[in-house]
Amino acid sequence: MHNLSKAFQISLGITSVFWIIYLADLILPDFQHHIMLIPRTKVGLLTMFSCHFGHGNIGHILNNSLAFLALMTLALVHNKDLAITNSLIIITLTGLFTWLFGRSGTAHIGASGWIMGLFGYLLANARYRKNFISIAVAVLVLIFYSGLFLSLTNFRAGISWEMHIGGFIAGIIASRLTSKQEIEKVEQ
């Protein structure tokens, strides 16, 4: 139970950063414009890390906060060190994917790529780690968050499907990379 409490506290701390940035944008108009990822621009390369922390409106941040809290907490409970490493991989690869393949003239912001990455990571762990905990977590994620698969095909204006797809792929890659490292450590 202590691990769950600690994992939730860490997730809540990260989520509070989303809210601080959102509230700063309400007080200082256009604050978030400085952290948006704009594909194939020099500024976009710099903001491919920060874009995950901003949100466009109250609905956006509420939806992302709840999903992030749940998925990040699960990832942290599963393995705190790996969750942090994988989050860095997910943020980096999602940002890079969006920078490379994002629609011209668009700005991307929000934690949904990170969320989709955690979703892909937790599902892929069942495949690559093949242990009871990873499989149980993947089943829980599928039961409660299978609707996230729909966001992979949501191509409406104002939705960054590039971040969603990039994040999901990044999560699978992160799981594969870190599971391979774990196997190599055990074999040594």
Side-chain angles (χ1 to χ4, degrees):
M1 189 57 78
H2 175 71
N3 286 345
L4 179 61
S5 175
K6 185 70 173 164
F8 184 75
Q9 289 173 9
I10 293 168
S11 299
L12 193 58
I14 296 168
T15 305
S16 68
V17 174
F18 302 161
W19 282 91
I20 290 167
I21 290 170
Y22 180 75
L23 294 172
D25 192 58
L26 294 177
I27 297 165
L28 306 166
D30 297 331
F31 176 77
Q32 292 194 82
H33 287 252
H34 302 288
I35 63 170
M36 292 179 169
L37 189 156
I38 300 168
R40 291 171 304 286
T41 64
K42 289 177 187 174
V43 171
L45 277 176
L46 298 173
T47 59
M48 64 185 234
F49 302 102
S50 61
C51 67
H52 303 279
F53 293 90
H55 291 83
N57 58 52
I58 192 71
H60 189 207
I61 194 169
L62 283 172
N63 287 330
N64 279 352
S65 293
L66 295 174
F68 182 84
L69 275 171
L71 294 174
M72 188 63 175
T73 298
L74 277 173
L76 287 162
V77 166
H78 189 254
N79 186 320
K80 186 182 89 175
D81 294 333
L82 280 181
I84 293 166
T85 299
N86 283 308
S87 285
L88 293 173
I89 293 169
I90 289 165
I91 287 170
T92 302
L93 292 180
T94 302
L96 187 58
F97 183 91
T98 306
W99 186 82
L100 288 170
F101 300 110
R103 292 159 283 171
S104 295
T106 59
H108 301 263
I109 196 166
S112 56
W114 192 353
I115 291 164
M116 291 304 297
L118 291 169
F119 179 63
Y121 163 70
L122 292 168
L123 293 178
N125 279 343
R127 161 70 175 94
Y128 295 122
R129 289 186 168 75
K130 298 178 185 167
N131 60 44
F132 176 77
I133 299 291
S134 296
I135 293 167
V137 168
V139 169
L140 278 174
V141 168
L142 276 175
I143 289 169
F144 291 103
Y145 287 96
S146 59
L148 288 177
F149 281 118
L150 297 175
S151 74
L152 296 173
T153 58
N154 189 344
F155 302 117
R156 291 181 297 153
I159 305 289
S160 179
W161 58 266
E162 299 92 337
M163 285 184 92
H164 293 180
I165 292 171
F168 187 72
I169 293 168
I172 294 168
I173 291 169
S175 176
R176 178 69 178 131
L177 290 173
T178 56
S179 68
K180 194 174 182 178
Q181 289 174 341
E182 277 185 325
I183 291 166
E184 289 170 0
K185 280 183 184 177
V186 170
E187 289 175 354
Q188 292 175 358

